[in-house]
Amino acid sequence: MLTNEQLAAFRSTLLEMKRDIEDRLNQNDHFGMTRSHAHDAVGELASYDNHPADEATELYEREKDLALDDHTEREFREIERALKAIDDGTYGICRTCGQPIPYERLEALPTTLYCREHSPDQIVSQKRPLEEGVLMPPFGKFDFDDRDESVVYDAEDAWQEVARYGSSDTPSDLGKNVDYYGEVYAESEEHVGYVEDLENFAAVDLHGRNVKVYPTREHEWLENILDDEGIMSNIGDLPAYEKDPYTVNESYRGYDERPTQQSFGEPNP
């Protein structure tokens, strides 16, 4: 059993702990929880013109304040219960087994009302924040590019859709040169709506005729490659009547008929 001097010492310790918590909660407004919104703590009026990264930082700080406030208030309630146990004459006695709580345990944890064997906090929580459920495995749960399934619209495609409108990344983050900031996102060179580079700027009808070429960056890129190689097609060289059309006179008499070829300026037979 505890002596009166020991009980008085524990009462003094608990009262000091209680005053310290009350002072801290009054000074920080219960970690800002008495305010209407997290924006009040940083002087913001709305989220409209804030960067998403800044909003994420403020959200993290708000969650941290919620956890600290909950922990501090729980500690405050435990102090009050311990003080009430001293008044009732039950302090130092385990509420479960009724055996005296070792003095060394009370010195280390003055708010405890249980012995070590019957403490309700025997199991350390392994619960993780619910938000982490979408990050297992990190950043790959909904990315199907490297899987055997058929091509589908996955999380990476959704990110690319919004990233082309801008993000906090810069060209230096990617380690490559880009022409404009609409390409500053991962795998921006991926084909969207076409398979081969040629399809980005060449348009034909259902029969492969009436070819139109649209001036795009991919077209300019392919033209530069062909010029450097001295060829007219990246799938192989072309016949003379297609390779040098400015020296021949071409005419098509039918879809499956090859064009006739003659010197420029000579009349048709």
Side-chain angles (χ1 to χ4, degrees):
M1 295 294 295
L2 296 174
T3 64
N4 292 334
E5 291 78 8
Q6 290 173 333
L7 287 173
F10 282 125
R11 179 191 294 273
S12 177
T13 300
L14 291 168
L15 289 174
E16 184 177 354
M17 293 171 60
K18 181 179 179 181
R19 284 192 299 268
D20 180 63
I21 291 178
E22 288 175 335
D23 290 341
R24 281 190 286 132
L25 292 178
N26 289 332
Q27 290 174 7
N28 59 31
D29 294 327
H30 284 254
F31 293 90
M33 295 299 106
T34 59
R35 302 185 181 187
S36 59
H37 195 276
H39 286 154
D40 294 346
V42 293
E44 295 285 351
L45 298 178
S47 302
Y48 180 78
D49 58 345
N50 287 358
H51 193 284
D54 294 332
E55 284 294 302
T57 299
E58 293 180 15
L59 176 61
Y60 163 75
E61 293 295 336
R62 187 67 166 180
E63 291 176 338
K64 184 175 68 175
D65 290 339
L66 281 168
L68 290 173
D69 183 65
D70 182 72
H71 175 79
T72 304
E73 290 187 352
R74 176 185 175 184
E75 184 180 5
F76 185 82
R77 291 191 297 269
E78 290 177 348
I79 292 174
E80 289 189 321
R81 284 196 290 266
L83 289 171
K84 186 175 185 301
I86 293 178
D87 295 336
D88 295 341
T90 59
Y91 185 78
I93 304 298
C94 178
R95 289 191 171 184
T96 300
C97 64
Q99 297 298 317
I101 301 174
Y103 182 79
E104 294 76 14
R105 175 172 171 79
L106 291 173
E107 277 190 316
L109 193 63
T111 59
T112 186
L113 300 177
Y114 301 89
C115 63
R116 186 179 65 84
E117 290 75 11
H118 297 99
S119 174
D121 297 328
Q122 294 287 342
I123 300 177
V124 178
S125 175
Q126 300 296 325
K127 293 182 180 180
R128 301 297 303 166
L130 183 62
E131 292 82 1
E132 292 185 2
V134 297
L135 300 178
M136 295 183 296
F139 311 110
K141 188 174 183 180
F142 302 105
D143 186 354
F144 305 118
D145 284 358
D146 298 329
R147 304 186 187 181
D148 296 332
E149 294 91 346
S150 59
V151 178
V152 296
Y153 188 88
D154 59 10
E156 181 196 30
D157 298 318
W159 164 247
Q160 291 173 343
E161 286 285 349
V162 297
R164 65 189 57 183
Y165 293 99
S167 70
S168 59
D169 291 337
T170 65
S172 61
D173 295 320
L174 298 181
K176 64 180 181 180
N177 295 325
V178 296
D179 293 333
Y180 65 102
Y181 271 82
E183 294 179 340
V184 185
Y185 60 90
E187 299 185 10
S188 59
E189 68 280 357
E190 247 183 11
H191 297 162
V192 178
Y194 61 97
V195 178
E196 300 295 337
D197 292 317
L198 180 70
E199 299 175 13
N200 176 260
F201 52 83
V204 299
D205 61 12
L206 293 176
H207 304 288
R209 295 175 296 189
N210 300 325
V211 177
K212 295 181 181 179
V213 175
Y214 296 93
T216 66
R217 285 175 298 132
E218 285 77 8
H219 177 227
E220 182 181 1
W221 170 77
L222 182 59
E223 288 288 350
N224 292 334
I225 292 179
L226 298 179
D227 290 343
D228 293 339
E229 297 292 334
I231 60 177
M232 295 195 68
S233 170
N234 60 344
I235 61 175
D237 210 355
L238 298 177
Y241 65 86
E242 293 187 18
K243 184 176 182 180
D244 299 311
Y246 55 88
T247 64
V248 298
N249 193 2
E250 306 171 15
S251 64
Y252 285 85
R253 298 179 181 177
Y255 173 66
D256 295 327
E257 186 177 354
R258 293 177 60 83
T260 60
Q261 179 183 165
Q262 62 187 62
S263 299
F264 178 76
E266 295 183 6
N268 292 327

